[in-house]
């Protein structure tokens, strides 16, 4: 005949309401628990159990398996809903198990049908578990002690695990928040970016200008690099794991001291490179990011592994500012009919889409690549252009860049500034002289790299189509273009601003046909 004894924080039945605070049954013989006594009077099982608290051994499942072997029993660790966390399933009185899990009683014992069971509540920050132990022999004092202390060790391990998991979740949430702030800055929404940043990093974006740095490392060590950047900058900079390039960490900071902080990080590691932008307004974060990426390419060949974007002569700097502003406004005028938010969204996406691939742009903005393509298709349609044409991309990029980087304003209606066309802007003596000087650098190369480059641009920067036109191999085209990069001091195969400047130079000297623009 089976009989049950349940105790803990409630009275044991049949004892007139007397409370028993979890006493173990004593049989008067040694239990089968291994290693009953060790050196210094400490039980051997206690030493074994403490080993599970070492950093290398913190595994609840291993502790449960150890307990099963220590007391020669079957063991189950269940969550508050009865789900099995470790061990093997055991038949239990579910109502008693629920009482233990809820905390109504701290522990329970049951014996019958040749089995003896103990149920112990294991508390932890997010709830409670039930440790159930079932064996054929009765529980003596040693076995009871093993079960009680094992429950305490499991409680510690669960608490440590949850604390660590909470820290990981907090770290991920903080990293996601940093990325969201950067994405807002990328689309020039500085108001929202400041509002989001003010909660965790008060004052971080109060400045009007900032520098952007891009650090490159092996993707395997990027998380450590980001953590070190946060520590070195004392959280006075926006540190973001680049969503587009696995080995990049983006740092935006309004502090001049950040450059030295990041340089010291690069000096302490053999394979880390740093590229930095010039000072830009927060609304020009996307421009600063492009500058930092460009500088990073130079840093890879510098002894100190760092480089700051070098301001060079850009074609738009050589044009009449008023005429350029008015021309850009005229080209982009079809977009003015859109609601302000929609227009800003399309322009920001197109600016990044002209600098990077659709996939990279999507990751930077936190949208899908289909969304990027849809927005750029809409801009193409409204402007009446074809972005497959490199010269079209270069001209639209010039218009967008002008609208962001030059002060707003237009010349008086009907003025010469208001009537200038792209051809006039590019044919000015200053621009034409700049273009000739740039492209003439290619003349010493006997392979006629200049012709290859011109054909490659005309064919939409497609090596295969350019090779067919020239009657050479596609790899030859790529080698010619790559060899032109150090001579022109511009990245061409990567696309973006450098390529567009070279395309404008070809337009200025008449080596390429000027693209038709509906706005002109």
């Amino acid at each position: 005949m089976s009989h049950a004894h349940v105790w803990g924080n409630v009275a044991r039945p049949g004892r007139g309401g007397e409370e028993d605070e979890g006493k173990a049954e004593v049989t008067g013989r040694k239990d089968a628990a291994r290693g009953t006594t060790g050196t210094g009077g400490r039980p051997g099982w206690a030493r074994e159990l403490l080993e599970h608290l070492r950093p290398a051994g913190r595994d609840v499942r291993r502790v449960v398996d150890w307990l099963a072997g220590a007391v020669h029993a079957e063991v189950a660790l269940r969550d508050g809903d009865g789900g099995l966390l470790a061990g093997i399933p055991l038949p239990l009185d579910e109502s008693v198990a629920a009482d233990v899990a809820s905390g109504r009683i701290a522990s329970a014992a049951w014996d019958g049908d040749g089995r003896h069971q103990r149920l112990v509540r294991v508390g932890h920050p997010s709830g409670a578990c039930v440790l159930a132990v079932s064996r054929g022999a009765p529980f003596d004092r040693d076995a009871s002690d093993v079960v009680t202390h094992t429950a305490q060790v499991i409680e510690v391990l669960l608490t440590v695990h949850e604390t660590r998991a909470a820290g990981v979740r907090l770290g991920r949430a903080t990293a996601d928040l940093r990325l969201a702030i950067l994405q807002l800055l990328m689309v020039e929404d500085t108001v929202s970016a400041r509002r989001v940043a003010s909660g965790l990093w008060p004052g971080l974006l109060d400045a009007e200008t900032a520098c952007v740095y891009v650090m490159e490392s092996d993707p395997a060590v990027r998380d450590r690099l980001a953590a070190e950047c946060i520590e070195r900058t004392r959280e006075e900079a926006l540190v973001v794991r680049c969503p587009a390039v696995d080995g990049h960490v983006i740092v935006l900071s309004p502090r001049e001291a950040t450059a030295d902080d990041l340089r010291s990080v690069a000096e302490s590691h053999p394979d880390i490179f740093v590229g930095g932008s010039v000072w830009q307004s927060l609304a020009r974060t996307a421009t600063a990011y492009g500058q930092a990426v460009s500088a990073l390419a130079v840093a890879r060949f510098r002894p100190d592994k760092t480089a700051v974007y070098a301001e060079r002569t850009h074609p738009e700097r050589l044009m009449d500012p008023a005429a350029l502003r008015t021309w850009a406004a005229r080209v982009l005028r079809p977009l003015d009919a859109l609601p302000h938010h929609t227009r800003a969204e399309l322009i920001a996406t197109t600016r990044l889409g002209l600098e990077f691939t659709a996939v990279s742009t999507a990751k930077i903005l936190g949208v899908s690549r289909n969304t990027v393509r849809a927005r750029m298709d809409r801009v193409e349609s409204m402007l009446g252009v074809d972005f497959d044409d490199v010269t079209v991309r270069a001209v639209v990029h010039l218009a967008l860049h002008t609208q962001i980087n030059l002060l707003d304003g237009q010349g008086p209606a009907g003025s010469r500034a208001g009537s200038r066309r792209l051809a006039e802007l590019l044919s000015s003596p200053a621009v034409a002289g700049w273009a000739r000087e740039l492209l003439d650098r290619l003349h010493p190369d006997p392979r006629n790299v200049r012709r290859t480059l011109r054909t490659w641009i005309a064919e939409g920067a497609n090596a295969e189509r350019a090779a067919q036109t020239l009657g050479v191999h596609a790899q030859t085209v790529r080698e010619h273009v790559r060899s032109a990069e150090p001579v022109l001091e511009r990245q061409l195969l990567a696309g973006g601003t450098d390529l567009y400047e070279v395309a404008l130079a070809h337009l200025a000297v008449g080596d390429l046909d000027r693209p038709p623009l509906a706005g002109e």
Side-chain angles (χ1 to χ4, degrees):
M1 178 178 178
S2 66
H3 57 282
H5 300 296
V6 181
W7 68 87
N9 295 328
V10 297
R12 183 188 300 179
R15 289 296 184 92
E18 294 178 63
E19 294 187 353
D20 189 321
E21 295 295 331
K23 292 182 179 179
E25 297 174 25
V26 181
T27 61
R29 66 174 178 80
K30 277 194 175 182
D31 188 82
R34 64 174 180 266
T36 303
T37 305
T39 59
R42 172 179 289 180
W45 60 261
R47 295 198 313 276
E48 293 180 15
L49 184 57
L50 289 174
E51 288 294 320
H52 290 283
L53 290 175
R54 295 182 180 274
R58 293 174 181 173
D59 188 332
V60 170
R61 287 169 297 185
R62 289 174 56 188
V63 174
V64 169
D65 291 342
W66 174 86
L67 174 60
V71 298
H72 303 291
E74 296 173 335
V75 183
L77 180 66
R78 310 197 323 173
D79 61 26
D81 297 323
L84 187 67
L85 300 178
I88 61 175
L90 293 178
L92 303 176
D93 186 321
E94 294 300 333
S95 63
V96 175
D99 286 344
V100 174
S102 67
R104 194 176 73 83
I105 55 177
S107 61
W110 180 92
D111 59 80
D113 298 331
R115 303 297 297 174
H116 300 264
Q117 290 185 349
R118 289 291 175 91
L119 278 67
V120 181
R121 186 175 189 271
V122 179
H124 56 92
S126 63
C129 298
V130 175
L131 179 66
V133 184
S134 176
R135 68 182 203 162
F139 287 85
D140 65 0
R141 184 180 299 278
D142 285 333
S144 297
D145 285 347
V146 173
V147 172
T148 300
H149 286 86
T150 301
Q152 294 170 350
V153 167
I154 291 175
E155 182 172 331
V156 170
L157 294 181
L158 290 176
T159 301
V160 169
H161 174 75
E162 290 191 17
T163 301
R164 184 183 299 117
V168 170
R169 289 194 298 271
L170 179 59
R172 288 175 180 170
T174 304
D176 289 345
L177 189 59
R178 290 191 179 100
L179 175 58
I181 294 169
L182 178 66
Q183 289 169 341
L184 288 169
L185 292 173
M186 285 287 194
V187 296
E188 304 164 33
D189 192 350
T190 57
V191 174
S192 296
R194 285 182 170 126
R195 185 179 298 121
V196 174
S198 63
L200 288 180
W201 303 284
L204 175 62
L205 300 181
D206 285 352
E208 294 299 324
T209 60
C211 276
V212 172
Y213 306 87
V214 176
M215 306 188 71
E216 183 177 74
S217 68
D218 186 307
V221 302
R222 182 174 70 163
D223 287 349
R224 293 206 305 272
L225 173 61
E228 187 169 350
C229 288
I230 292 172
E231 181 181 354
R232 290 289 184 94
T233 59
R234 297 165 293 283
E235 295 203 11
E236 294 178 343
L238 184 67
V239 180
V240 179
R241 294 168 180 81
C242 179
V245 183
D246 289 342
H248 285 187
V249 173
I250 303 170
V251 181
L252 181 147
S253 175
R255 298 170 56 250
E256 293 184 4
T258 298
D260 292 333
D261 293 336
L262 300 184
R263 190 176 292 110
S264 66
V265 172
E267 290 172 352
S268 61
H269 299 279
D271 299 317
I272 290 179
F273 305 95
V274 185
S277 73
V278 297
W279 288 91
Q280 302 281 8
S281 68
L282 290 179
R284 294 181 61 191
T285 296
T287 298
Y289 171 67
Q291 291 179 347
V293 171
S294 180
L296 182 63
V298 177
R300 298 188 187 105
F301 304 100
R302 295 278 296 273
D304 61 356
K305 303 179 295 180
T306 64
V308 175
Y309 182 76
E311 281 285 16
R312 60 189 180 219
T313 302
H314 299 288
E316 64 270 20
R317 301 283 180 86
L318 304 174
M319 300 176 187
D320 180 346
L324 181 59
R325 282 197 301 267
T326 306
W327 169 83
R330 192 167 62 247
V331 169
L332 301 176
R333 186 167 295 150
L335 302 178
D336 293 344
L338 297 170
H340 175 75
H341 175 75
T342 303
R343 183 182 187 278
E345 187 176 68
L346 292 180
I347 286 180
T349 301
T350 302
R351 287 183 65 216
L352 287 173
L354 292 175
E355 291 283 354
F356 308 102
T357 65
V359 173
S360 294
T361 300
K363 291 179 178 179
I364 292 170
L365 294 178
V367 298
S368 72
R369 60 184 177 183
N370 289 336
T371 298
V372 171
R373 292 191 176 110
R375 291 175 183 175
M376 294 188 69
D377 287 346
R378 187 175 180 185
V379 171
E380 272 186 304
S381 176
M382 295 187 71
L383 298 183
V385 297
D386 179 6
F387 283 154
D388 288 337
D389 187 327
V390 173
T391 58
V392 167
R393 295 209 300 272
V395 172
V396 173
H397 179 270
L398 174 63
L400 292 171
H401 188 71
T402 298
Q403 191 169 76
I404 293 299
N405 295 335
L406 292 182
L407 294 175
D408 292 335
Q410 298 182 3
S415 69
R416 177 162 176 74
S419 63
R420 297 264 183 101
R421 301 173 68 86
L422 177 65
E424 294 177 90
L425 294 173
L426 293 176
S427 62
S428 69
V431 176
W434 162 82
R436 284 193 299 271
E437 186 280 328
L438 179 67
L439 298 179
D440 284 350
R441 300 179 195 176
L442 300 174
H443 281 317
D445 195 314
R447 298 172 299 171
N448 203 350
V449 169
R450 181 168 175 174
R451 183 188 65 171
T452 302
L453 181 58
R454 178 178 66 246
T455 306
W456 178 70
I457 293 175
E459 294 295 345
N462 185 290
E464 285 73 18
R465 292 203 299 267
Q468 291 177 359
T469 301
L470 294 170
V472 298
H473 196 278
Q475 187 58 32
T476 300
V477 173
R478 295 187 186 95
E479 289 175 357
H480 283 197
V481 174
R482 190 174 291 111
S483 67
E485 291 184 324
V487 177
L488 299 178
E489 298 178 334
R490 285 163 173 82
Q491 296 185 90
L492 302 176
L493 291 170
T497 300
D498 286 358
L499 172 59
Y500 300 147
E501 288 190 356
V502 174
L504 290 176
H506 281 87
L507 292 175
V509 299
D511 281 359
L512 291 173
D513 294 332
R514 295 187 179 95
L517 294 173
E520 287 208 321

